[in-house]
Amino acid sequence: MTEPSYLAAVRESYDTVADDYAALVKTPSELDPLSRSMLTAFAELVQASGRGPVADLGCGPGRVTAHMAGLGVSAFGIDVSPRMIELARSAYPDLRFSVGSMTALEIEDDTLGGILAYYSTHHTPPELLPVVFAEFHRTLAPGGHLLLAGHVGTGEHRRPTHGYGGHPVSYASYRLPAHQLAELLNQAEFTITAQLVQEPDEELNWKFASFLACKPTTEEPA
């Protein structure tokens, strides 16, 4: 599969801002109680299913991957930015991190117990989200769980010129309505088990949403 053109801008931009991103972004322990509870619920669901490891897709510097490991889940991280992966490997040498894209995962079918896409799909053009969600579905084991979280809006399309630390960036950012993301997950044959939409706080001007979903199991007829 030819790599989608938008990924080059995402890769270059996050390579540029990676060190400042790692210094500025909150750790999971600093998140609000509801966001932390969704991560904990996801970890418990994955553990209860016994299906396999969790892939943290768009893992950045690895903090959420490490948080999952701290909750007792076998987890590894994938990110499109080589610099982010360098930072993750340096900070968490006992965990596995690799460079890759969620549009074409080098993971076998039906092997993952969980997928975590934590604020990592908003740079994907909306017309390509079905490709991404299809990869999530392909690689999850039946009965596996997905936690998708990120900012939501009314369909805004933004092209910031500067990112973390004031460095130049060239990626685009999309804020889709929560109901549109839910519809896309349903179209990808996920069953949504919970969703949470949170209002903006004093630091953030955007609503953000979390979706817990699972890949249905297929029962053989008796």
Side-chain angles (χ1 to χ4, degrees):
M1 175 181 175
T2 302
E3 180 180 274
S5 59
Y6 79 95
L7 284 178
V10 175
R11 180 183 297 109
E12 181 180 358
S13 297
Y14 277 100
D15 277 349
T16 300
V17 304
D19 291 81
D20 283 295
Y21 179 101
L24 294 169
V25 172
K26 291 180 178 179
T27 64
S29 63
E30 296 172 315
L31 295 173
D32 65 275
L34 289 175
S35 295
R36 294 199 309 272
S37 70
M38 292 296 275
L39 288 169
T40 300
F42 171 70
E44 291 181 0
L45 287 167
V46 170
Q47 287 176 310
S49 74
R51 304 285 179 179
V54 166
D56 181 7
L57 303 179
C59 66
R63 289 174 178 163
V64 183
T65 320
H67 184 71
M68 284 290 111
L71 292 173
V73 173
S74 174
F76 64 95
I78 297 174
D79 200 278
V80 74
S81 162
R83 179 56 184 159
M84 286 289 195
I85 293 300
E86 288 178 5
L87 293 174
R89 288 171 174 168
S90 176
Y92 308 105
D94 294 335
L95 299 179
R96 178 163 58 96
F97 297 97
S98 59
V99 177
S101 165
M102 63 180 71
T103 60
L105 294 167
E106 295 183 358
I107 299 172
E108 294 183 2
D109 296 358
D110 302 328
T111 57
L112 297 174
I115 287 178
L116 181 62
Y118 207 70
Y119 292 80
S120 60
T121 62
H122 58 282
H123 297 304
T124 305
E127 65 271 17
L128 290 181
L129 281 174
V131 175
V132 170
F133 292 167
E135 278 292 271
F136 291 178
H137 190 275
R138 177 185 69 79
T139 55
L140 268 179
H145 295 275
L146 166 69
L147 174 57
L148 172 71
H151 297 295
V152 293
T154 58
E156 296 90 346
H157 176 196
R158 306 181 70 200
R159 286 192 172 275
T161 57
H162 293 82
Y164 302 91
H167 299 288
V169 296
S170 57
Y171 51 58
S173 183
Y174 304 88
R175 301 290 191 265
L176 299 183
H179 70 82
Q180 186 175 348
L181 289 170
E183 182 179 346
L184 289 170
L185 288 172
N186 286 327
Q187 290 173 0
E189 301 183 356
F190 282 101
T191 299
I192 296 174
T193 55
Q195 53 186 300
L196 172 68
V197 178
Q198 295 175 252
E199 297 298 323
D201 59 20
E202 294 179 355
E203 297 181 42
L204 298 173
N205 295 321
W206 295 95
K207 290 184 179 181
F208 44 107
S210 302
F211 301 87
L212 281 170
C214 68
K215 178 176 176 177
T217 57
T218 54
E219 298 290 341
E220 292 293 333

